[in-house]
Amino acid sequence: MKNTTVLGAFGALALLGATLATPAAADKLDDVLGSGKLRCAVVLDFPPMGYRDANNEPAGMDVDICKDLASRMGVDAEVVGVTWAERIPSLISGRTDVAIASSSDSLERAQTVGFTIPYMVFQFQSLLPADSEITEWDQLKDANVGVAVGTTYESELTDYSAANWPDGKGKITTFQAENDTYLAVSQGRVEAGIATDTAIANILQSDSFSNLKAGPVAPFGADIVGFMTQRNEFGWINYLNLYINHAYRDGTLGDLYETHIGGEMPDLTTVGVYY
């Protein structure tokens, strides 16, 4: 019995040693470093965050953040253009490594994907024909309002309409892309559209939408956005969090904001996140 116990103890030690000697399982961070390529999902019809330039090349703040992250990792950046609805499927299928795509960090989404700390903040705003007489948000209850499907402002508008505009419920028209919403407002197919303040400010500078104007800001509060990746990639999420923190502290995010949007970047100071 004594020998058996000793052998059992040696067996346990051997097993412990083997366990300790076994390298940790590779995660997405290892995959990216090993492949030499960072694949970023970016929505490319959401200027100034993501769009295609005159040479049909990806451009915008989200694109430049992807490139900066890849540079700091010592790998190449590959921008994968996606629609709002394609962001999460691209991650789950393994087509992309991270979504740097102005994604609202909702608790509902976080049941499917993993989120980083915030890297940007927006306000939701209405887009109107230049001759529209709408001056207050709740006047939209009698209008046909267009919005891009799969966006946070689609779900926020739907919930707000159901709770506050019982007579106006059902007057929401969804579109597959941001630009489709802008065109619908411009062509009179809907009476208003919803987008972010940055996107609206950007398109109003375009000659293509000179017949539009910015309308009332939505009462939904600020839209806080983060990177998304696969939910169980804790090491990768930790690395992305550290990157955002560094890029915020060293002024990179502020510089990119000034370049692509103009002015001073909104304050991201949040207790427990940034100090």
Side-chain angles (χ1 to χ4, degrees):
M1 178 69 69
K2 185 175 181 180
N3 289 339
T4 302
T5 303
V6 171
L7 288 174
F10 276 117
L13 288 172
L15 179 60
L16 177 60
T19 301
L20 292 175
T22 302
D27 65 2
K28 180 63 71 175
L29 175 58
D30 295 310
D31 293 342
V32 172
L33 292 172
S35 69
K37 179 169 60 179
L38 173 68
R39 302 169 300 168
C40 303
V42 180
V43 176
L44 294 179
D45 72 334
F46 187 54
M49 302 304 292
Y51 60 95
R52 291 191 179 275
D53 63 17
N55 297 317
N56 203 36
E57 294 295 326
M61 184 169 172
D62 282 342
V63 172
D64 283 350
I65 290 173
C66 172
K67 292 178 179 178
D68 182 64
L69 171 59
S71 176
R72 297 192 197 210
M73 295 181 71
V75 300
D76 295 329
E78 178 183 330
V79 175
V80 180
V82 295
T83 65
W84 295 116
E86 291 172 339
R87 290 172 296 176
I88 291 177
S90 78
L91 294 168
I92 294 174
S93 68
R95 181 182 170 211
T96 58
D97 303 308
V98 59
I100 304 177
S102 303
S103 306
S104 305
D105 58 357
S106 71
L107 293 176
E108 182 180 4
R109 281 189 186 140
Q111 295 176 19
T112 305
V113 293
F115 270 96
T116 65
I117 57 178
Y119 77 99
M120 184 61 184
V121 58
F122 302 103
Q123 295 287 339
F124 299 138
Q125 189 172 22
S126 56
L127 179 67
L128 305 171
D131 60 356
S132 174
E133 297 181 358
I134 292 174
T135 58
E136 297 181 3
W137 178 262
D138 282 335
Q139 289 179 281
L140 293 173
K141 68 180 180 180
D142 298 318
N144 183 6
V145 182
V147 63
V149 69
T151 59
T152 299
Y153 31 103
E154 179 207 4
S155 58
E156 292 276 7
L157 178 62
T158 300
D159 291 345
Y160 188 91
S161 174
N164 299 280
W165 303 340
D167 295 334
K169 186 179 179 182
K171 294 184 179 180
I172 298 174
T173 301
T174 58
F175 298 94
Q176 288 299 312
E178 290 286 336
N179 205 52
D180 293 339
T181 302
Y182 308 151
L183 286 172
V185 180
S186 179
Q187 296 168 356
R189 291 184 285 129
V190 294
E191 297 162 87
I194 306 297
T196 64
D197 53 350
T198 54
I200 289 176
N202 183 268
I203 68 165
L204 292 182
Q205 298 175 13
S206 167
D207 294 337
S208 300
F209 298 104
S210 58
N211 63 333
L212 300 180
K213 68 179 180 180
V217 173
F220 307 151
D223 180 29
I224 310 299
V225 302
F227 297 175
M228 295 189 297
T229 189
Q230 292 187 16
R231 192 178 64 180
N232 62 341
E233 292 291 350
F234 304 113
W236 181 222
I237 293 172
N238 180 67
Y239 184 88
L240 295 173
N241 282 339
L242 189 60
Y243 163 74
I244 294 171
N245 215 320
H246 275 259
Y248 183 74
R249 295 195 322 248
D250 67 23
T252 298
L253 291 182
D255 290 344
L256 290 177
Y257 185 94
E258 183 176 5
T259 297
H260 292 284
I261 299 171
E264 187 175 350
M265 183 174 178
D267 187 16
L268 292 180
T269 303
T270 304
V271 175
V273 181
Y274 302 115
Y275 298 92

